Amino acid sequence: LKRLIKSLLKSRFTFCLPIDFTKLINHQIIFIFETFSLSNGKIQFKMDIEFKSSKNPVNYEKALKLLEKRVNEVKKGGRELVWFLEHPTTYTAGIRYKKEEILDKSINIVKTNRGGKITLHNPGQKIVYFVLDLNKRKKNIRNLVREIENIIVEFLKIYRIKSYADKKNIGVWVNRKKIAAIGIRVSRWVAYHGFSININNNLDDYKKIVPCGLNNEKITSFKKEGKKSLNINKNLKNIFLKNLPKI
């Protein structure tokens, strides 16, 4: 493999290796490198996707601006992004929301361009935003949603939470209760926004809305399922990396 890459690097051609290049390799590896360079006879790999983690809650509108800025950068060939964070208590409305889904008229609703209806973000809920260039991957939105659901299901399995995806209702469920919501927008085949997983957030905040068009009692979390939340970001990152070639 090294001899092959070195010979390509020394050629006069510009080349791009496909994401599924691992099919040519008889070793179990996670292929996350798409750019190669040669320095002093040694192959150096550049990771074309950035993993970012924020310790403190990030203002929703500020996060959205950063996300949209990265979308424009990715359209011009910039690095993709996966971002782990939390938000202060914020109610957001997707493009399919209805006014009657706001039960408490005193709350402030932030309108967004993502898919879906009204949902809640609050401390203790893990948010995973991403900016992925489907031009370099699979131009298949259904596949993207399915693989994101698979990432969440596999992640929850680590904590012995048996979950599943529902063909009629996007998201991930535990005993008919929603534990993870997904909201995605695609612009020129660059997919962004992401998903949220209820860890130990206050589920009472959902009572002020009809979350994702559901009854408030149909929402659950790690805490409600009696599970401890350890190494959330680390495990999410590992699962994301493992499943990234399928997107």
Side-chain angles (χ1 to χ4, degrees):
L1 175 60
K2 288 184 178 181
R3 285 197 296 270
L4 170 63
I5 295 172
K6 283 182 179 180
S7 64
L8 288 170
L9 285 168
K10 290 178 180 178
S11 70
R12 295 181 181 179
F13 301 100
T14 300
F15 65 94
C16 179
L17 293 176
I19 296 301
D20 60 355
F21 189 70
T22 47
K23 292 179 180 178
L24 301 177
I25 306 171
N26 293 321
H27 299 282
Q28 292 183 344
I29 64 171
I30 298 173
F31 190 71
I32 55 176
F33 303 102
E34 299 171 15
T35 305
F36 302 85
S37 63
L38 190 63
S39 177
N40 297 323
K42 295 181 179 180
I43 298 173
Q44 294 183 342
F45 297 89
K46 176 185 175 183
M47 186 187 292
D48 277 349
I49 184 165
E50 176 188 359
F51 281 85
K52 178 179 178 179
S53 179
S54 296
K55 291 183 179 180
N56 299 320
V58 180
N59 175 274
Y60 180 84
E61 291 170 304
K62 180 180 179 181
L64 199 58
K65 287 180 181 179
L66 291 172
L67 208 61
E68 290 173 343
K69 180 182 178 182
R70 179 59 68 93
V71 169
N72 291 328
E73 291 173 357
V74 169
K75 287 178 180 178
K76 297 175 183 178
R79 294 176 73 191
E80 295 175 303
L81 172 71
V82 177
W83 185 10
F84 305 114
L85 68 156
E86 293 185 9
H87 287 309
T89 301
T90 310
Y91 294 92
T92 70
I95 57 177
R96 295 193 298 112
Y97 95 100
K98 298 177 181 179
K99 290 184 178 180
E100 53 266 32
E101 293 170 343
I102 305 171
L103 302 180
D104 185 340
K105 306 302 180 182
S106 68
I107 64 174
N108 180 49
I109 300 290
V110 179
K111 294 182 180 179
T112 76
N113 58 5
R114 63 162 172 80
K117 298 186 177 185
I118 289 181
T119 193
L120 162 75
H121 299 308
N122 59 352
Q125 180 193 72
K126 182 58 62 179
I127 308 292
V128 181
Y129 286 139
F130 53 74
V131 180
L132 298 175
D133 189 357
L134 301 186
N135 291 289
K136 300 191 301 183
R137 302 183 181 279
K138 297 176 183 177
K139 288 186 175 181
N140 189 325
I141 298 173
R142 287 186 179 180
N143 175 73
L144 171 63
V145 173
R146 181 173 63 250
E147 292 305 330
I148 292 300
E149 289 175 332
N150 289 340
I151 286 170
I152 298 169
V153 169
E154 193 171 337
F155 165 73
L156 294 174
K157 196 173 182 180
I158 295 173
Y159 301 90
R160 297 184 180 180
I161 297 176
K162 188 177 181 180
S163 62
Y164 57 93
D166 187 332
K167 292 182 180 180
K168 295 182 179 179
N169 298 293
I170 293 175
V172 174
W173 305 73
V174 177
N175 295 323
R176 298 184 180 181
K177 293 183 179 182
K178 198 168 191 176
I179 194 169
I182 300 171
I184 298 172
R185 181 174 176 82
V186 179
S187 174
R188 285 165 48 187
W189 290 108
V190 174
Y192 65 109
H193 283 289
F195 60 92
S196 61
I197 305 175
N198 292 331
I199 307 296
N200 55 9
N201 48 323
N202 184 3
L203 299 186
D204 286 340
D205 288 340
Y206 280 103
K207 294 179 180 179
K208 298 179 181 181
I209 60 172
V210 180
C212 304
L214 299 171
N215 183 303
N216 294 301
E217 296 179 356
K218 291 186 177 181
I219 303 293
T220 191
S221 66
F222 266 60
K223 186 176 180 180
K224 194 170 182 179
E225 296 300 317
K227 303 297 182 180
K228 293 183 178 181
S229 52
L230 300 173
N231 301 317
I232 295 295
N233 285 2
K234 178 182 177 181
N235 288 329
L236 267 173
K237 180 179 179 180
N238 289 339
I239 297 296
F240 211 106
L241 281 171
K242 178 183 175 183
N243 289 277
L244 195 57
K246 300 176 185 178
I247 293 176

